[in-house]
Amino acid sequence: TQLLEQSPQFLSIQEGENLTVYCNSSSVFSSLQWYRQEPGEGPVLLVTVVTGGEVKKLKRLTFQFGDARKDSSLHITAAQPGDTGLYLCAGTGNAGKSTFGDGTTLTVKP
Amino acid sequence: DSGVTQTPKHLITATGQRVTLRCSPRSGDLSVYWYQQSLDQGLQFLIQYYNGEERAKGNILERFSAQQFPDLHSELNLSSLELGDSALYFCASSAGGGHYGYTFGSGTRLTVV
């Protein structure tokens, strides 16, 4: 079974601060996704990374895939209250099935 | 609107009963995935279908079954319901094998009383 560990589990910061959340596994994935989920809604796909060492930027969000394709990080610059939510990473194996981490709950206070 | 439609949005039923959850994938997507999300277990993969055929199975209980129809919509059947089955059930779809991520519906919140 492929397991994904996310850290920290909870993060509460002030508006304007920077933060990084991590997603780690002992397994190699063919691709890795980051999703953001708000209460009562389904996860929304933010990004997919495929190549080891790949870095993708989405406005103030920077995503990195580890060289060995086992881990990833999400960095948010100058966090805003609208960034509040549950951030989930998901590793996808060769069969296309995704295994999700338990998520990082981010709260950004105004 | 993500393009993935799940009905009903909320469902309250008694223990021992049977319910059916329905999912219409995003237009053009051939793969459908079902996930269960509870507070203590996160998002757990149940089952995947591709163009009508079962592709992968996760920790789906024997009391649960699913199918994907020729029009690509899918149904998840939950029977002999127990209190512990209370959770959010999500359907997701993808164009092919899911390597570039899924589009999720807004879920069905099932409460078993």
Side-chain angles (χ1 to χ4, degrees), chain A residues 30-33 35 37 40-45 47-50 86 88 92-102, chain B residues 9 33 35 37 40-45 48 55-58 88 90 97-107 109:
Chain A
S30 63
S31 66
L32 189 141
Q33 290 79 38
Y35 294 81
Q37 184 179 18
E41 297 295 326
V44 175
L45 180 65
V47 77
T48 294
V49 284
V50 178
L86 176 66
L88 295 159
T92 302
N94 292 332
K97 177 175 74 75
S98 289
T99 300
F100 282 79
D102 287 340
Chain B
K9 194 162 177 65
Y33 312 81
Y35 282 81
Q37 187 177 42
D40 59 344
Q41 290 206 336
L43 267 168
Q44 299 294 313
F45 171 70
Q48 175 195 356
R55 176 66 69 92
K57 224 170 188 177
L88 268 167
F90 287 105
H99 294 278
Y100 293 94
Y102 304 160
T103 301
F104 278 84
S106 56
R109 180 174 292 281

Side-chain angles (χ1 to χ4, degrees), chain B residues 7-109:
Chain B
T7 57
K9 194 162 177 65
H10 301 277
L11 198 48
I12 301 175
T13 190
T15 54
Q17 294 298 304
R18 172 190 168 96
V19 297
T20 298
L21 313 184
R22 183 187 168 102
C23 169
S24 293
R26 194 178 57 166
S27 178
D29 285 355
L30 298 178
S31 290
V32 168
Y33 312 81
W34 286 97
Y35 282 81
Q36 179 192 58
Q37 187 177 42
S38 56
L39 283 175
D40 59 344
Q41 290 206 336
L43 267 168
Q44 299 294 313
F45 171 70
L46 296 178
I47 199 163
Q48 175 195 356
Y49 283 86
Y50 177 81
N51 202 21
E53 306 236 341
E54 183 183 304
R55 176 66 69 92
K57 224 170 188 177
N59 296 325
I60 186 167
L61 299 171
E62 285 193 11
R63 300 183 285 108
F64 295 2
S65 65
Q67 55 183 327
Q68 186 180 28
F69 295 88
D71 66 354
L72 301 178
H73 91 271
S74 178
E75 293 181 356
L76 178 67
N77 300 296
L78 316 176
S79 62
S80 302
L81 285 167
E82 302 175 359
L83 296 178
D85 297 327
S86 296
L88 268 167
Y89 291 84
F90 287 105
C91 168
S93 71
S94 70
H99 294 278
Y100 293 94
Y102 304 160
T103 301
F104 278 84
S106 56
T108 293
R109 180 174 292 281

Side-chain angles (χ1 to χ4, degrees), chain A residues 12 36 41 66 75 79 81 91:
Chain A
S12 181
R36 180 167 158 261
E41 297 295 326
H75 182 79

